[in-house]
Amino acid sequence: MPNLPYLAHYPEELKAQVRQLLTEDRLGEMLDKKYPTRHDIRTDKALYDYVSDVKTRFMRSTEPLSKVVFDNSLQIIKKALGTHTTVSRVQGGKLKSKREIRVASLFKTAPLEFLHMIVVHELAHLKEREHDKAFYQLCLHMEPNYHQLEFDLRLYLTQMEMDVGSP
Ligand SMILES: [Zn+2]
């Protein structure tokens, strides 16, 4: 039985249901039905534009992003689906900060909803560093379905790992 690393913190009962779906080979099909929409955000430029749009809608007051890229080196195994950094440096007597968001390359081919969820997550980190209540409130403000999407993304990753693991 798969040990479901992406669902480690979810209740046992839920995990049992997921194992059942995996055993019956129905998880992939279920996700395809629920999330049939693919997107064509393939380049860093397209990703930058997409993230900037979401940011403009919800977080206008924060500084512009310096860089937004897909990153091949982000490993889903290590649970890093995206990263965000703010580098501050003094430039000409002024404190300037560079804000960067990196999104794991696997989202190029994932359903749009999952890309959206990870973008919302990393944008929220521009304001809230920790995964605390304020952080999740901001996520929910940007995406009311945030928690469901996060759960379904974990299912998607679980399914992906199954596909990679099978001959
Ligand atoms: Zn985070």
Side-chain angles (χ1 to χ4, degrees):
M1 267 295 125
N3 63 357
L4 308 176
Y6 301 108
L7 299 168
H9 303 295
Y10 286 86
E12 218 27 70
E13 201 186 297
L14 247 171
K15 285 190 264 192
Q17 287 175 19
V18 174
R19 286 198 184 93
Q20 183 68 24
L21 284 169
L22 285 171
T23 308
E24 295 167 6
D25 205 11
R26 281 168 52 216
L27 183 64
E29 189 193 325
M30 193 199 87
L31 288 167
D32 280 349
K33 269 201 188 137
K34 191 166 178 186
Y35 298 103
T37 319
R38 291 298 181 267
H39 60 79
D40 51 12
I41 301 162
R42 295 277 189 279
T43 63
D44 291 342
K45 165 85 174 77
L47 182 64
Y48 183 91
D49 291 345
Y50 179 75
V51 175
S52 297
D53 274 0
V54 179
K55 184 175 172 299
T56 305
R57 253 187 288 152
F58 297 105
M59 299 176 65
R60 205 162 310 192
S61 62
T62 52
E63 290 166 60
L65 296 158
S66 314
K67 195 172 172 182
V68 182
V69 291
F70 283 115
D71 191 333
N72 271 317
S73 66
L74 294 181
Q75 295 293 311
I76 58 171
I77 314 302
K78 302 219 170 70
K79 294 202 294 182
L81 299 171
T83 61
H84 55 93
T85 48
T86 303
V87 183
S88 300
R89 79 186 97 204
V90 179
Q91 218 169 58
K94 275 189 189 163
L95 189 67
K96 287 215 166 191
S97 58
K98 288 184 75 167
R99 292 160 175 276
E100 267 185 44
I101 287 179
R102 291 175 180 268
V103 171
S105 296
L106 72 97
F107 288 101
K108 280 187 194 179
T109 51
L112 178 63
E113 289 89 342
F114 299 155
L115 173 69
H116 182 69
M117 186 239 119
I118 204 72
V119 164
V120 160
H121 185 107
E122 298 308 331
L123 280 174
H125 273 312
L126 298 181
K127 274 193 170 170
E128 308 290 344
R129 274 163 196 271
E130 306 295 329
H131 293 143
D132 55 14
K133 203 172 168 207
F135 173 82
Y136 284 109
Q137 269 171 356
L138 185 52
C139 288
L140 286 168
H141 170 66
M142 290 191 267
E143 173 51 65
N145 206 21
Y146 182 85
H147 291 302
Q148 182 69 49
L149 286 177
E150 182 179 334
F151 178 68
D152 288 348
L153 170 62
R154 288 169 185 277
L155 292 182
Y156 178 79
L157 296 173
T158 301
Q159 178 62 43
M160 251 180 84
E161 207 157 82
M162 292 291 146
D163 294 343
V164 171
S166 61

